[in-house]
Amino acid sequence: MTRVTRFAPSPTGPLHLGHAYSAWVAAERAGAGRFLLRIEDIDRARCRPEWEAQIFDDLDFLGLDWPRPVMRQSDRLPAYRAALGQLAARGVLYPCRCTRADIRAAMSAPQEGAVGPDGLVYPGTCRARPMSDARPDDALRLNMRAALALAGPLCFIENGPLHPGQHRPDPDWMIARVGDVVLARRDMGTSYHLSVVVDDAAQGITEVTRGADLFDATAIHALLQALLELPRPTYWHHELIRDEQGKRLAKRDDARAIACYRADGASAQDIRAMLSL
Ligand code: GLU
């Protein structure tokens, strides 16, 4: 089978050394197969066309090549709506109008503090609301317990160096530490988790390569793939590039931006050497 990998940056700031590493890992894992680029721009408030242009330019500078036109998530809202329709038909979605403040207030009780890979674990305030009650400005959440019961046992294969092997996400962990994740944010009509799963399938991705910070989210993705009956790619989570203090690089860490190294006259080869590639 031809391996198909992707690099899926969000144009919310300049690419930095960590992105260069991630893109190279994806291209390398594709080998003789296909390396695709996907622009993850569902967060319209934070994404900018100039960052997207810079992404193309930086990746080109790094010596990468990918088929055009690229998939852009802002063009894919009908596909996300269709997936949400499928999940609603399976009875695992509910509308939620809790604000962050509502959630924090509901959690200021003794059992507070459950924070998982998706942030605060939702206390379930709106869980009994039917979809027929959904208003256009509601978020949509996955009823985790119902979804796990419907999907049955989950499994995904990790090929990366950090956690190699077959993983079977524990349903109790998913209920306690992930909880009822938002699949459609009120301001976007979708979410990272839903879009990534729908798009990896649409692009025929056979191996998802990305940073180790997203390893725990893979359980959510495996669940959505099962519910939506999508093919399941294998995964390769790579180590994160950190600064001298051991802190992982962030978009706002402009000093590590590839553009800055370029302005200083560094070549792609110099950047590879900095990353010990
Ligand atoms: N768009 C995400 C990011 O820039 C990557 C998501 C993924 O690779 O699954 O961090």
Side-chain angles (χ1 to χ4, degrees), residues 6-10 19 38 40 73 192 196 200 208-211 213-214 221 248 251:
R6 52 42 167 206
F7 175 56
S10 301
H19 294 105
R38 179 170 74 229
E40 300 214 323
Q73 289 191 325
Y192 161 66
V196 85
D200 283 334
V208 170
T209 60
R210 60 188 178 195
D213 53 326
L214 288 168
H221 302 170
R248 73 177 267 236
K251 281 258 170 61

Side-chain angles (χ1 to χ4, degrees), residues 2 25 68 86 90 106 128 139 187 262 277:
T2 308
V25 167
R68 277 80 164 175
Q86 265 176 276
R90 302 200 71 181
D187 47 341
R262 291 176 67 181
L277 278 168

Side-chain angles (χ1 to χ4, degrees), residues 94-96 98 102-103 106 122-129 141 180:
Y94 64 86
C96 173
C98 293
D102 294 335
I103 296 173
Y122 181 63
T125 320
C126 289
R127 195 177 290 135
R129 286 181 59 202
R141 287 185 182 272
D180 294 356

Side-chain angles (χ1 to χ4, degrees), residues 7 9 35-39 55-56 59 66 70-71 203:
F7 175 56
F35 162 72
L36 307 182
L37 179 63
R38 179 170 74 229
I39 298 295
I55 288 174
F56 294 133
L59 293 177
W66 59 91
V70 301
M71 181 179 278
Q203 287 191 295

Side-chain angles (χ1 to χ4, degrees), residues 75-269:
D75 294 335
R76 303 261 310 142
L77 291 178
Y80 308 143
R81 222 170 287 136
L84 289 167
Q86 265 176 276
L87 295 172
R90 302 200 71 181
V92 293
L93 284 191
Y94 64 86
C96 173
R97 66 182 67 128
C98 293
T99 61
R100 263 180 230 271
D102 294 335
I103 296 173
R104 255 184 254 112
M107 297 186 77
S108 60
Q111 86 287 7
E112 73 177 308
V115 180
D118 208 57
L120 278 181
V121 177
Y122 181 63
T125 320
C126 289
R127 195 177 290 135
R129 286 181 59 202
M131 281 299 285
S132 54
D133 187 35
R135 294 195 210 143
D137 61 343
D138 281 343
L140 299 179
R141 287 185 182 272
L142 184 70
N143 180 330
M144 183 56 79
R145 194 179 287 277
L148 287 164
L150 196 63
L154 302 175
C155 174
F156 67 89
I157 293 174
E158 170 71 31
N159 289 329
L162 303 174
H163 318 274
Q166 198 171 73
H167 292 264
R168 299 182 184 283
D170 173 13
D172 291 335
W173 175 84
M174 292 185 71
I175 290 166
R177 303 307 301 268
V178 180
D180 294 356
V181 282
V182 169
L183 292 188
R185 283 172 52 170
R186 77 185 77 223
D187 47 341
M188 290 182 195
T190 184
S191 62
Y192 161 66
H193 298 304
L194 183 78
S195 305
V196 85
V197 160
V198 169
D199 291 345
D200 283 334
Q203 287 191 295
I205 303 301
T206 65
E207 184 163 279
V208 170
T209 60
R210 60 188 178 195
D213 53 326
L214 288 168
F215 178 78
D216 281 342
T218 309
I220 305 169
H221 302 170
L223 172 60
L224 293 177
Q225 284 152 359
L227 293 170
L228 294 167
E229 296 174 344
L230 297 174
R232 186 161 305 162
T234 56
Y235 289 84
W236 181 289
H237 290 89
H238 60 74
E239 63 193 290
L240 299 176
I241 302 299
R242 299 180 183 276
D243 65 14
E244 294 75 17
Q245 279 77 49
K247 220 169 98 258
R248 73 177 267 236
L249 302 183
K251 281 258 170 61
R252 58 197 166 280
D253 199 351
D254 286 359
R256 318 280 163 160
I258 295 164
C260 291
Y261 292 104
R262 291 176 67 181
D264 285 347
S267 68
Q269 213 39 51

